[in-house]
Amino acid sequence: MLAILKREFKAYFTSPLGYVFLAIFYAFSGVFFWVFTLDMGSTDMSSVFLMMFLVLMVFVPLLTMRLLAEDKKQKTDQLTLTAPVSLLGIVMGKFLAAYLIFAIGVAVMPLYGFVMSTFADVSWLPIFGNTVGLLLLGGIFVAGGLFVSSLTENQMIAAIGSFFINLMVLLLDTLVSQIPSGIFRTALESISVYSRYAEITSGIFSLSSVIFFLSVIFIFLFLTVRVLEKKRWA
Amino acid sequence: MIEVKNLTKRYGAKLAVDNISFTAEESEILGFLGPNGAGKSTTMNILTGYLSSTEGQALINGIDILEDPVKAKALIGYLPEQPPLYLDMTVMEYLKFVYRLKKCKLPIASHLGEICELVKITEVKNRVIKNLSKGYKQRVGLAQALVGNPPVLILDEPTVGLDPKQIIEIRSLIKRLGKNHTVILSSHILPEVQAVCDKIVIINRGKIVANDNADKLVHNLSGDHKLTVRAEGNANDIKKLLSTIPDMRDVRINKENVEPGVSEFFLTANDGCDIRRDVSKRLASRNYPLLMMKSSELTLEEIFLKITTGDIYGHVDEDKDKNTNKKSSK
């Protein structure tokens, strides 16, 4: 797993992909930070975090699209799948490599807080909570993207597919609001990633949310392993 | 040691590999021969655990590749049809990655250096793989299979894309490796298989049509009872003369006047009979100069064509046909 993690992580910086993603992340978060926090004369960063949902939704697929799709296309999966490594090891290596890049992006958020603290008193607890929330959200997008990447050998399809899944995640709430209340609505509401995330940015950091996010990540990783496993049997 | 038992692979309705069984012993090089789409690569992919079989078993040193894949895969070095290279890495980075991926215990610098020397890629080891020529890429692929010094090597067309000099080098390398490894090698270059392999398995449309020692295969199919002879003199007279040899089954004039006054004959003797001495003596007794005599043993190409299409150059003798059928039904 470590060998794959290391290779994939390095690969982000031998192509422009890693740089582009980080640049986009820093640019958007910087603009939001300026517009919603500095310019408004507020120390509340929750709007910045909420807006990052949209940015990640669009750009995390950039990060995950090639993970497994390119392996299949270049037939390098014949190396990884015939090496003495478990499927879970392969999937985790790929997941963590992309996730690490994402986490390097997120690391800038507390830095903004630090910048603010030179001007005013900053309440660190919400910033910390929001950062953890963003890390969890990113986990879902990365795992989801990895899953889609395992389904195709075309990077563009992988990117568009995972963007589509992310869009569905966002639109689920709009859909839910149109459904009359009942079990079905409650069920859909409780799997809404967006409202869970909004809850965290608004300052409610509950254990159930954390478990929810981790479960979704786990499900996507599990499904990815199954896809690789299924490929052998096809 | 590799054991394949009743292996079958189905892709939907298509039967890619149909109930094949063979074994490759330790320190043996087994050549896997077949036309395109015969199921060679599929079989190799199953052996290495990349694909699973629909039915049957593949054992690597007694370990079932499906039951304990991690342990079995640790014993195998695999060079797939298209070498699995990460184009964005340098050769050395790539080999180090493979080294870690395979969880090698050998000293890294000397081990990788040795492999680079073996496949002659030392001079390109710091170049990005993307920029290498096809021959070098192929050799990096081979180097990758050798990392960790696995006891079993599975090589899918290892000499594709190499120039003639490299082909000879790689062949002799494989031959050397075959002394203390179990090697399975696929190819459709027949002289290669004949030159390198101890044992040949010919596969066509997913079925094994021949499985034997390389020399035996050639011998059994053609035998030494067929001769091509050129002699000077009247063709019909010579034909009559040769027909009187006791073990002679058939004499045919292939061509009259191949050279002025010289005719060529195809002779068939009864199975297991050597008629060369008789032929020479008879001709000498009547003063017909014997200008050429060669055994019309089939080349591997002819055997291959014969087995896979049931025909050589459009005409096959009846007894040869029987011979092949006997072989393929085995």
Side-chain angles (χ1 to χ4, degrees):
Chain A
M1 186 193 88
L2 279 177
I4 292 180
L5 166 61
K6 201 173 158 195
R7 198 218 88 80
E8 293 296 334
F9 184 77
K10 257 185 151 172
Y12 279 118
F13 296 105
T14 50
S15 73
L17 214 57
Y19 297 105
V20 168
F21 176 82
L22 289 177
I24 288 172
F25 192 100
Y26 294 145
F28 276 99
S29 60
V31 170
F32 292 145
F33 176 59
W34 172 54
V35 173
F36 293 115
T37 311
L38 294 184
D39 202 44
M40 305 270 273
S42 152
T43 58
D44 177 17
M45 280 181 66
S46 55
S47 317
V48 181
F49 280 97
L50 197 57
M51 288 305 286
M52 285 315 284
F53 183 98
L54 289 173
V55 177
L56 293 184
M57 190 184 97
V58 179
F59 292 106
V60 168
L62 273 187
L63 218 50
T64 56
M65 62 182 186
R66 46 158 276 275
L67 283 177
L68 288 161
E70 198 191 25
D71 256 17
K72 243 192 275 182
K73 185 151 203 168
Q74 303 285 354
K75 305 255 166 141
T76 38
D77 61 341
Q78 287 194 317
L79 173 65
T80 50
L81 292 178
T82 59
V85 194
S86 67
L87 290 177
L88 184 68
I90 296 171
V91 170
M92 283 311 287
K94 302 255 178 194
F95 171 77
L96 290 176
Y99 192 72
L100 217 57
I101 303 283
F102 165 77
I104 291 173
V106 172
V108 81
M109 302 305 271
L111 209 66
Y112 292 138
F114 183 73
V115 170
M116 268 194 306
S117 71
T118 56
F119 306 114
D121 279 339
V122 171
S123 51
W124 282 102
L125 218 54
I127 291 181
F128 174 70
N130 276 330
T131 308
V132 173
L134 193 62
L135 284 171
L136 289 170
L137 178 73
I140 290 186
F141 286 153
V142 172
L146 180 65
F147 169 63
V148 179
S149 180
S150 74
L151 298 174
T152 171
E153 50 181 72
N154 184 316
Q155 293 192 34
M156 281 321 287
I157 292 176
I160 293 167
S162 36
F163 171 67
F164 189 73
I165 285 192
N166 298 347
L167 196 65
M168 283 294 121
V169 164
L170 178 69
L171 292 180
L172 187 68
D173 281 63
T174 326
L175 186 72
V176 167
S177 62
Q178 298 302 315
I179 295 174
S181 50
I183 291 184
F184 193 51
R185 176 167 178 158
T186 322
L188 281 183
E189 264 172 0
S190 55
I191 59 162
S192 163
V193 174
Y194 183 74
S195 54
R196 294 264 182 189
Y197 182 66
E199 211 176 277
I200 292 178
T201 56
S202 68
I204 308 163
F205 195 86
S206 66
L207 187 65
S208 77
S209 294
V210 175
I211 292 174
F212 171 78
F213 279 98
L214 291 179
S215 314
V216 177
I217 294 172
F218 172 78
I219 288 171
F220 274 129
L221 293 180
F222 175 75
L223 287 176
T224 311
V225 172
R226 298 319 295 171
V227 170
L228 293 188
E229 178 81 37
K230 187 204 115 210
K231 189 185 142 77
R232 294 204 312 161
W233 296 94
Chain B
M1 193 183 100
I2 304 166
E3 249 184 299
V4 174
K5 290 182 192 161
N6 308 319
L7 208 65
T8 299
K9 177 73 182 175
R10 223 179 276 276
Y11 291 111
K14 190 187 177 310
L15 205 55
V17 174
D18 188 4
N19 195 20
I20 65 171
S21 306
F22 62 87
T23 33
E25 304 292 337
E26 231 175 286
S27 322
E28 184 172 73
I29 306 179
L30 183 138
F32 213 49
L33 212 59
N36 293 328
K40 288 176 299 202
S41 294
T42 305
T43 308
M44 292 190 146
N45 279 334
I46 293 171
L47 283 179
T48 51
Y50 180 66
L51 294 174
S52 64
S53 54
T54 315
E55 277 165 49
Q57 233 184 350
L59 301 172
I60 311 292
N61 283 359
I63 305 167
D64 190 317
I65 188 83
L66 282 181
E67 302 268 312
D68 196 345
V70 173
K71 220 167 153 190
K73 284 170 185 176
L75 302 171
I76 305 175
Y78 181 34
L79 169 65
E81 204 173 3
Q82 186 184 333
L85 306 173
Y86 283 103
L87 301 179
D88 54 353
M89 299 172 106
T90 67
V91 172
M92 217 44 193
E93 276 172 0
Y94 174 71
L95 291 179
K96 279 182 183 160
F97 164 65
V98 175
Y99 178 92
R100 285 190 208 99
L101 191 69
K102 291 188 176 176
K103 302 185 184 83
C104 276
K105 296 285 183 295
L106 302 162
I108 184 160
S110 60
H111 178 53
L112 294 185
E114 220 171 86
I115 290 173
C116 288
E117 282 298 324
L118 266 182
V119 298
K120 306 223 161 53
I121 51 172
T122 311
E123 66 274 20
V124 296
K125 69 179 182 189
N126 292 320
R127 285 180 55 188
V128 177
I129 295 177
K130 184 165 45 185
N131 301 330
L132 296 180
S133 69
K134 190 163 174 358
Y136 272 120
K137 280 182 185 159
Q138 185 69 23
R139 282 190 272 172
V140 175
L142 186 60
Q144 163 274 124
L146 297 178
V147 170
N149 200 12
V152 173
L153 291 172
I154 297 185
L155 312 172
D156 202 344
E157 302 191 1
T159 54
V160 159
L162 302 179
D163 66 42
K165 183 166 168 277
Q166 295 166 348
I167 290 182
I168 292 167
E169 284 167 5
I170 294 294
R171 270 186 207 162
S172 68
L173 171 64
I174 293 174
K175 251 192 149 159
R176 249 182 301 147
L177 289 168
K179 287 193 182 118
N180 41 24
H181 293 74
T182 309
V183 183
I184 292 191
L185 154 122
S186 87
S187 178
H188 39 231
I189 307 170
L190 303 147
E192 172 166 300
V193 174
Q194 205 171 12
V196 175
C197 300
D198 307 313
K199 203 178 185 181
I200 297 181
V201 171
I202 301 183
I203 179 172
N204 188 36
R205 291 191 203 136
K207 283 198 170 96
I208 290 184
V209 288
N211 176 359
D212 215 331
N213 178 298
D215 300 326
K216 251 193 190 159
L217 200 62
V218 179
H219 183 81
N220 278 354
L221 278 172
S222 49
D224 53 5
H225 59 290
K226 285 189 176 270
L227 297 174
T228 306
V229 165
R230 278 185 191 179
E232 195 169 356
N234 182 296
N236 285 319
D237 290 349
I238 295 176
K239 185 179 170 183
K240 261 180 227 153
L241 174 70
L242 292 176
S243 300
T244 59
I245 296 174
D247 285 321
M248 184 70 72
R249 188 191 294 172
D250 182 42
V251 179
R252 230 171 48 208
I253 301 169
N254 180 41
K255 209 172 173 191
E256 284 182 61
N257 290 324
V258 257
E259 291 161 46
V262 176
S263 301
E264 190 173 276
F265 304 88
F266 283 156
L267 312 182
T268 311
N270 290 327
D271 279 351
C273 299
D274 190 350
I275 52 168
R276 285 172 301 177
R277 286 170 196 84
D278 286 333
V279 170
S280 148
K281 277 181 196 158
R282 291 284 157 114
L283 290 170
S285 68
R286 297 279 183 90
N287 279 329
Y288 291 123
L290 174 61
L291 299 177
M292 184 191 92
M293 170 151 67
K294 68 168 189 185
S295 136
S296 354
E297 219 173 56
L298 295 180
T299 65
L300 204 44
E301 265 94 350
E302 290 167 321
I303 294 174
F304 182 71
L305 272 177
K306 184 172 163 61
I307 290 178
T308 52
T309 63
D311 199 0
I312 321 171
Y313 310 134
H315 60 85
V316 180
D317 293 348
E318 268 175 19
D319 69 305
K320 258 193 195 172
D321 245 354
K322 272 182 219 148
N323 218 334
T324 327
N325 289 341
K326 254 187 258 157
K327 278 233 81 68
S328 31
S329 59
K330 255 183 204 169

